[in-house]
Amino acid sequence: MSEPGPYGYQQQYPQQNWQQPRPTNVLAVLALVFAFLFAPLGIVFGHIARSQIKRTGEQGDGLALAGLILGYIFTAIGILFFIAWIAFWGLFATAVSEAADDVRSNTYSYTTPQSYAATPAPRITTTTRAPQTTTAPRVTTTVSGPLPTVTGTDRQGFVSNGPRCNASNPAVAVAITTASRIVVCETGVGRYYYKGERLSDGAAIEIDDPIRTREGFAARNGDVTYQLSPSGLVILDGGSELDSEPALEVWLN
């Protein structure tokens, strides 16, 4: 475009070219947004957006790149968190299982002694034996029958430390294992009762009506069975072995 100058010459004006701004790629914006909402999808949108920007010349490459970087960072953090979560619950399940095994082991070991007098045919007793103490010796009575060969015992069981038959009830089996002291007593009417004491803490158990077996005696307390034989004591739960205590000294009549 020109117009007359002050001296009659045509004055030229430069022609201005107006260029329309390039649009911003939509997927680049979505890549940045989803990097915070759902990082893996932000990564996908970021790669697609950068590919489209190279082809179309749109704006938004910086947004797409930021979405990619943040998407990878947040995805890595999420994976690490998931691994830590799995490890935590694995350790928690292991701890719960071990605690349950400990409770089960304590339940199937020695518990509070049962009362034999609660059975339909109570054993005949003449006196009630006082609880054992460290200062007062046990009161012993004369009971006929063979004398056990286990150390520290008489015809009613252990003299100072360990289970002992009630007065007038002779022992028919006495044993010391690696973890227990055991005595099986006869009531005088062809019935028996089982007494055991754990060496580690003195916990005691008394079970009514054990039966004679080919090797010794078997006393049942619910689902748990205590089998005494010359080789020692085996504790079973429904046929599965819970514990085995080798014998140190055993006498069976």
Side-chain angles (χ1 to χ4, degrees), residues 50-251:
R50 298 198 74 191
S51 177
Q52 290 181 352
I53 290 171
K54 290 179 180 179
R55 188 175 64 254
T56 63
E58 293 176 307
Q59 292 184 344
D61 187 68
L63 296 176
L65 182 60
L68 278 174
I69 294 174
L70 292 176
Y72 279 117
I73 292 174
F74 291 142
T75 299
I77 293 174
I79 292 174
L80 292 176
F81 177 80
F82 180 75
I83 293 173
W85 184 81
I86 293 295
F88 169 79
W89 283 109
L91 293 174
F92 178 78
T94 302
V96 170
S97 177
E98 291 177 353
D101 290 341
D102 291 340
V103 172
R104 188 179 181 210
S105 176
N106 292 332
T107 301
Y108 291 145
S109 295
Y110 295 98
T111 57
T112 303
Q114 298 178 348
S115 175
Y116 191 87
T119 58
R123 60 177 178 270
I124 301 172
T125 60
T126 56
T127 60
T128 301
R129 179 167 58 87
Q132 179 184 351
T133 63
T134 57
T135 57
R138 293 187 179 186
V139 178
T140 60
T141 58
T142 302
V143 177
S144 60
L147 184 65
T149 58
V150 176
T151 303
T153 62
D154 61 11
R155 290 183 174 87
Q156 289 182 274
F158 292 88
V159 175
S160 58
N161 294 312
R164 184 172 179 81
C165 299
N166 291 349
S168 77
N169 296 155
V172 293
V174 182
I176 301 177
T177 70
T178 54
S180 306
R181 292 188 181 93
I182 303 159
V183 63
V184 179
C185 309
E186 186 175 16
T187 65
V189 292
R191 296 183 64 188
Y192 308 99
Y193 55 97
Y194 172 102
K195 286 187 174 184
E197 182 178 287
R198 189 163 54 196
L199 299 177
S200 60
D201 56 6
I205 187 171
E206 183 173 341
I207 304 174
D208 301 331
D209 298 316
I211 60 173
R212 278 189 179 271
T213 64
R214 296 179 60 181
E215 296 183 341
F217 287 89
R220 185 170 182 179
N221 182 23
D223 294 332
V224 181
T225 302
Y226 298 82
Q227 292 183 348
L228 178 63
S229 68
S231 60
L233 178 67
V234 177
I235 303 175
L236 304 173
D237 175 20
S240 299
E241 184 175 313
L242 292 179
D243 197 7
S244 179
E245 303 175 6
L248 301 179
E249 294 184 67
V250 175
W251 173 82

